[in-house]
Amino acid sequence: MVGHLKEMEDVIRRDNNRDDIRNKSRDNKMENKGYGHGRFGKFGGRFAPETLMNALIELENAYLKYKDDEDFNKEFIFYLNEYANRPSLLYYAKRMTKDLGGAKIYLKREDLNHTGSHKINNVLGQVLLAKRMGKKRVIAETGAGQHGVATATAAALFDMECEVFMGAEDMKRQSLNVFRMKLLGADVREVKSGTGTLKDATNEALREWSSRANDTFYVIGSVVGPHPYPTIVRDFQSVIGKEVKEQIIEKEGRYPDYLIACVGGGSNAIGLFHPFLEDKDVNMVGVEAAGKGLDTNEHAAAISKGSIGVLHGMKSYFLQDSDGQIMPVYSISAGLDYPGIGPEHAYLHEIGRVEYVAVTDDEAVEAFKYLSRIEGILPAIESAHAVAYAMKLAPKLSKEKTIIINLSGRGDKDVYSVAKYMGVDL
Amino acid sequence: MSRISEKFRELKRMNKKALIAFVTAGDPTINGTIQIVEELERGGADIIELGIPYSDPIAEGPVIQEANKRALMNDIKIKDIMNMVREIRNKVKVPLIYLLYYNCILQYGIEKFFEECMECGIDGLIIPDLPFEELSEIEDVSTKYEDIIDVITLVSPTSGERIKRIAKRARGFLYCVSSLGVTGEREKFSTDFNEFFSVINDSTSIPKAIGFGISTPEHVKMLKGYSDGLIIGSAIVRRIGESTTIEEAVKNVGEFVASLRKALDES
């Protein structure tokens, strides 16, 4: 009897889940109607100043025109494969699996892409779109510099003018990436307003775009911003999950039990998760940055500790005070150092499809060192957050289960900050 | 009829145009703002906009961004600004408008915010990041208060076919953005105002006011023919920022606004 009830509950849960997903695809369809609001449930939207509305509508129309266009997709896939080194490998981490003694662990090697992270996937898509729209100049915001470097790279490849907005604080912390962008021919614009970090660089890029949308394309770096950006970036990053689907079937003959990815704005996570959303047996975990701990004021965990608000054109979860002022955030990882999260993640959290957890600096640094030693792979400190959570989860699971960690970037850029964290003088 | 609509009607009867002045609330202090607002009215401002300082003012140029920063350094809260407005209301007659970002209203509580606005004497709201298509976010509440508080909408030279729809539902006055980009003083304007206003005037008979970049009496003379009012922000806020004392700020702002008033009233 009890078993029967449980079965019924399972069926109901499954149906609810399906309804949610059906609603979701309905929401996605709604986005396609010209001035659609681009909502994911109640999240997302287009909270933009009037001076940007025309540019956003123009972008949406261009995207709708090209997203299923055969030539456009052919060109996109050509550059992904021939230039960015896709498909990226799905690597079985044998020693790590054995050492942790539980679930089988695979690493999706986005760190092996050209420019060293998943950022290039989205940038190639957006810059190709910019070209089709006849834009001659691209601008971008960057935190750690990974997205700035990827944008500068694509701008060099397609001979476009490029300007990257970067917070004054971040420029100090990431001087190597600043110089990389300059080598690639980009202008780096120092942003001194606000806290001088990613959030302020995003403000400044939006301001710049509102004054020069006629010849300028704003290449946004994550699944954030006003509609249609969260959708565009998700679609371009979904190549990650689509490849994983094929690769894991080839290796395991079935879908994985867990997908794990770090979440700042959330582009690498949504890229891995999205193609699996309707596969209800695939569990998904997004890992936020807990910085010095969720009980301190120094973290960047928007879902774990934030509340619903509006910033950068979207309704989502943000770290803010009771007046709506956005709070300063902290993480050892500059790529997760953002006070909000993409609206689709907020929605996936709300319907319970994806679980969101947080990992501290300490745990991330431990994972950084661990993966370096056990597999010979230096993960980006962002990706190390996902590795850290997998290290907790894997031993609790049986050997028949499989986990896929999105290794979103390489860790060379983080060697200095990890050394500093460990008290090593380089 | 709202106080803003009444003001425009009164000005029209007198064959005058509205001078709309903007300052950031709490810049440099709450007390300073009270004195400056009184001086603005004395100098000839017909309507006064009070910007609620925000951590991420994406529609603002550097001058107003700095003013936001100065105000926030005093740890100013929305409830302090509401109290300030209560005091100002006892001293000035002109309509008062808040300019603020949507997140402030959302966190404060939409209903509570409108209720307090009404109670302390605010006559209109400008919410730069709540475009026409997102107005449904607040509509349940804003329609209840629409006879008292006008939610003012904006159109820009690139609003195109949306101008008609926005203008049709405009309340108080239609805020016409002079040119692309963010707030801040401009040397000149590249917008074709004849074309811009022919579309606007075809769509609505509500009063129109031009804002963004207007910073000199010459600009005032050049633009006043197109609209029923002009909005001056950064040029005033810059003078406050450059002053070393509140007395100096009051004096500078007073003289400047009087010069704009003169340019606006000259035939």
Side-chain angles (χ1 to χ4, degrees):
Chain A
M1 186 65 191
V2 171
H4 180 66
L5 275 177
K6 194 182 171 299
E7 209 174 286
M8 268 181 64
E9 271 171 26
D10 283 345
V11 169
I12 291 165
R13 202 173 306 132
R14 206 163 50 225
D15 284 347
N16 285 345
N17 200 14
R18 227 177 263 146
D19 278 347
D20 283 330
I21 286 160
R22 235 177 264 136
N23 286 337
K24 184 175 168 302
S25 40
R26 208 162 40 225
D27 288 342
N28 282 350
K29 269 187 210 117
M30 276 169 60
E31 293 168 3
N32 298 348
K33 285 184 195 156
Y35 306 127
H37 283 191
R39 296 278 179 145
F40 305 94
K42 64 173 173 261
F43 301 102
R46 184 180 277 158
F47 297 86
E50 186 56 36
T51 47
L52 273 179
M53 290 300 282
N54 185 58
L56 290 164
I57 291 165
E58 187 195 9
L59 173 64
E60 179 178 13
N61 290 337
Y63 183 63
L64 291 176
K65 180 173 167 194
Y66 290 116
K67 69 179 211 140
D68 299 316
D69 178 85
E70 204 178 315
D71 282 349
F72 178 79
N73 282 292
K74 239 172 147 172
E75 197 181 7
F76 180 42
I77 290 163
F78 172 84
Y79 284 103
L80 285 178
N81 294 347
E82 301 295 321
Y83 185 72
N85 197 29
R86 303 206 70 88
S88 69
L89 300 173
L90 184 68
Y91 166 72
Y92 170 44
K94 194 173 165 190
R95 289 196 66 215
M96 184 177 174
T97 300
K98 196 171 166 226
D99 182 62
L100 294 172
K104 221 169 163 181
I105 297 171
Y106 285 90
L107 305 176
K108 178 62 173 167
R109 300 289 309 274
E110 292 297 302
D111 59 317
L112 297 178
N113 296 341
H114 180 44
T115 72
S117 80
H118 72 291
K119 294 287 187 191
I120 193 76
N121 306 332
N122 163 50
V123 164
L124 285 172
Q126 286 197 49
V127 173
L128 286 171
L129 187 60
K131 253 183 60 179
R132 301 263 168 154
M133 290 173 73
K135 307 289 179 186
K136 305 264 181 272
R137 176 173 174 261
V138 292
I139 56 170
E141 83 294 341
T142 199
Q146 293 303 95
H147 174 60
V149 167
T151 306
T153 299
L157 176 65
F158 296 110
D159 192 22
M160 292 173 102
E161 226 181 288
C162 177
E163 227 167 275
V164 179
F165 293 83
M166 190 169 186
E169 278 306 306
D170 288 336
M171 282 181 76
K172 268 187 247 158
R173 290 191 284 194
Q174 303 285 343
S175 55
L176 197 67
N177 271 342
V178 174
F179 191 62
R180 276 172 87 190
M181 287 185 268
K182 287 179 181 166
L183 284 174
L184 291 160
D187 274 334
V188 181
R189 290 257 298 262
E190 183 180 20
V191 178
K192 289 180 181 160
S193 59
T195 51
T197 61
L198 176 58
K199 155 184 96 78
D200 308 290
T202 307
N203 290 340
E204 210 48 47
L206 284 166
R207 289 181 186 122
E208 169 74 12
W209 197 37
S210 75
S211 69
R212 257 188 93 169
N214 56 332
D215 72 340
T216 299
F217 188 104
Y218 177 22
V219 181
I220 242 175
S222 192
V223 282
V224 298
H227 178 62
Y229 278 112
T231 302
I232 292 182
V233 178
R234 175 200 70 202
D235 289 352
F236 288 147
Q237 289 293 2
S238 289
V239 65
I240 302 172
K242 285 180 198 156
E243 285 176 8
V244 165
K245 271 196 154 176
E246 285 183 20
Q247 291 167 322
I248 196 69
I249 288 292
E250 204 174 288
K251 288 177 199 292
E252 294 289 328
R254 64 181 190 90
Y255 285 163
D257 298 290
Y258 283 89
L259 301 174
I260 303 177
C262 65
V263 189
S267 70
N268 90 80
I270 214 87
L272 175 64
F273 296 167
H274 196 262
F276 286 99
L277 282 178
E278 300 206 24
D279 302 304
K280 61 180 176 51
D281 294 329
V282 180
N283 300 291
M284 305 177 189
V285 186
V287 186
E288 297 191 300
K292 295 184 179 169
L294 291 184
D295 49 354
T296 72
N297 285 326
E298 294 182 77
H299 59 75
I303 282 191
S304 307
K305 299 292 279 187
S307 54
I308 296 172
V310 168
L311 178 74
H312 294 155
M314 59 177 168
K315 185 180 263 193
S316 189
Y317 285 90
F318 295 97
L319 293 162
Q320 55 186 332
D321 72 10
S322 57
D323 268 6
Q325 307 286 352
I326 303 301
M327 311 284 276
V329 291
Y330 164 82
S331 163
I332 186 173
S333 143
L336 304 181
D337 198 356
Y338 182 72
I341 188 166
E344 193 165 6
H345 284 291
Y347 175 68
L348 294 171
H349 164 70
E350 195 186 55
I351 63 167
R353 179 64 187 94
V354 178
E355 186 190 355
Y356 293 85
V357 299
V359 151
T360 63
D361 283 2
D362 279 344
E363 293 169 315
V365 169
E366 274 314 304
F368 182 95
K369 295 193 288 188
Y370 178 80
L371 195 71
S372 302
R373 263 174 293 143
I374 202 149
E375 293 290 351
I377 297 170
L378 269 71
I381 193 69
E382 290 79 18
S383 325
H385 285 71
V387 175
Y389 184 73
M391 287 164 66
K392 294 190 215 178
L393 178 68
K396 294 185 213 155
L397 301 175
S398 73
K399 292 190 162 111
E400 289 71 48
K401 302 282 182 188
T402 54
I403 294 176
I404 293 174
I405 306 171
N406 202 9
L407 215 67
S408 56
R410 57 189 288 162
D412 306 54
K413 70 181 174 59
D414 300 307
V415 168
Y416 272 100
S417 55
V418 170
K420 197 175 150 207
Y421 193 85
M422 292 165 65
V424 177
D425 215 5
L426 293 183
Chain B
M1 187 190 288
S2 74
R3 206 181 268 143
I4 294 171
S5 302
E6 239 166 76
K7 173 58 87 175
F8 274 102
R9 186 182 276 196
E10 174 197 321
L11 287 167
K12 195 164 192 177
R13 267 201 310 268
M14 292 158 58
N15 209 13
K16 284 173 84 172
K17 307 262 174 173
L19 178 60
I20 304 172
F22 171 94
V23 290
T24 299
D27 167 37
T29 60
I30 289 276
N31 188 34
T33 300
I34 296 173
Q35 293 180 45
I36 290 166
V37 167
E38 282 182 272
E39 183 66 18
L40 287 170
E41 187 185 48
R42 263 198 299 275
D46 299 301
I47 296 174
I48 295 169
E49 284 181 30
L50 298 163
I52 292 187
Y54 189 49
S55 55
D56 297 85
I58 55 166
E60 313 300 345
V63 169
I64 296 177
Q65 283 177 45
E66 283 302 313
N68 279 266
K69 231 177 172 172
R70 285 195 295 271
L72 287 174
M73 275 197 309
N74 301 329
D75 201 24
I76 189 173
K77 304 295 252 182
I78 294 176
K79 69 170 170 28
D80 303 324
I81 297 171
M82 293 283 186
N83 286 332
M84 178 192 82
V85 172
R86 282 187 190 98
E87 208 174 323
I88 289 175
R89 248 298 148 246
N90 289 328
K91 298 179 175 177
V92 308
K93 294 273 175 297
V94 296
L96 297 171
I97 296 173
Y98 274 151
L99 183 144
L100 81 171
Y101 288 82
Y102 178 50
N103 201 37
C104 296
I105 302 179
L106 190 61
Q107 299 316 309
Y108 201 76
I110 298 172
E111 180 87 53
K112 183 180 160 207
F113 186 81
F114 272 82
E115 200 186 313
E116 283 186 31
C117 281
M118 179 185 73
E119 181 255 315
C120 71
I122 285 291
D123 307 295
L125 299 175
I126 299 172
I127 314 164
D129 60 345
L130 199 66
F132 180 74
E133 285 79 358
E134 299 290 1
L135 281 175
S136 58
E137 285 268 328
I138 58 165
E139 233 157 34
D140 283 353
V141 177
S142 64
T143 47
K144 276 202 285 183
Y145 292 85
E146 66 185 359
D147 293 335
I148 297 152
I149 300 171
D150 289 315
V151 175
I152 290 149
T153 43
L154 294 86
V155 291
S156 89
T158 53
S159 298
E161 55 185 54
R162 292 171 59 258
I163 288 179
K164 234 181 203 83
R165 281 183 291 150
I166 298 170
K168 215 176 264 169
R169 286 182 50 192
R171 316 226 16 131
F173 65 88
L174 186 64
Y175 192 131
C176 306
V177 177
S178 71
S179 43
L180 290 180
V182 291
T183 59
E185 299 170 70
R186 288 152 169 74
E187 296 241 322
K188 52 184 184 197
F189 303 92
S190 56
T191 303
D192 181 342
F193 288 101
N194 285 320
E195 195 191 318
F196 186 30
F197 276 93
S198 81
V199 181
I200 295 172
N201 289 328
D202 273 354
S203 317
T204 181
S205 56
I206 201 166
K208 293 118 205 141
I210 309 176
F212 279 40
I214 303 171
S215 35
T216 63
E218 288 67 43
H219 288 161
V220 169
K221 285 180 206 162
M222 187 188 102
L223 292 174
K224 65 180 179 183
Y226 293 103
S227 68
D228 308 285
L230 298 176
I231 304 161
I232 292 94
S234 294
I236 294 172
V237 173
R238 178 168 61 79
R239 283 170 171 81
I240 297 170
E242 284 169 358
S243 305
T244 45
T245 61
I246 289 171
E247 291 68 39
E248 193 186 331
V250 169
K251 183 172 165 281
N252 287 343
V253 165
E255 285 171 8
F256 179 57
V257 169
S259 74
L260 298 174
R261 180 79 257 173
K262 190 162 162 267
L264 196 57
D265 290 346
E266 270 172 16
S267 51

